[in-house]
Amino acid sequence: MPSKSVVVGSAVGLHARPAAIIAEKAAELGSDVTINGVDASSSLMIMTLGAGHGDTVEVAGDDQGAVDTIAELVEQDLDA
């Protein structure tokens, strides 16, 4: 299973807005992707991680392209 460690780039961490953007994209990909073991297509599950700015998280899935796409979003400041 492909995976990638990334640093959370959003100033507010993986909170409401960044989590919603990531979950929407993950749902579009049609591939199972997780962030620290939780479903990346669920903004509520992403928020339960409590991942803050600068924290390292593990993005994993069954497709390398999907993992890379979600990892890139996690690294961006999506609340800007």
Side-chain angles (χ1 to χ4, degrees), residues 8 10 12-29 35 38-49 51 69-70 73-74 76-79:
V8 176
S10 287
V12 296
L14 296 182
H15 200 25
R17 187 165 187 258
I21 293 168
I22 292 167
E24 183 178 336
K25 183 52 126 179
E28 290 174 6
L29 295 173
I35 301 172
V38 304
D39 183 3
S41 65
S42 170
S43 59
L44 182 59
M45 293 305 295
I46 293 171
M47 288 187 293
T48 65
L49 293 172
T69 298
I70 298 304
L73 285 175
V74 171
Q76 294 177 25
D77 186 359
L78 299 174
D79 205 51

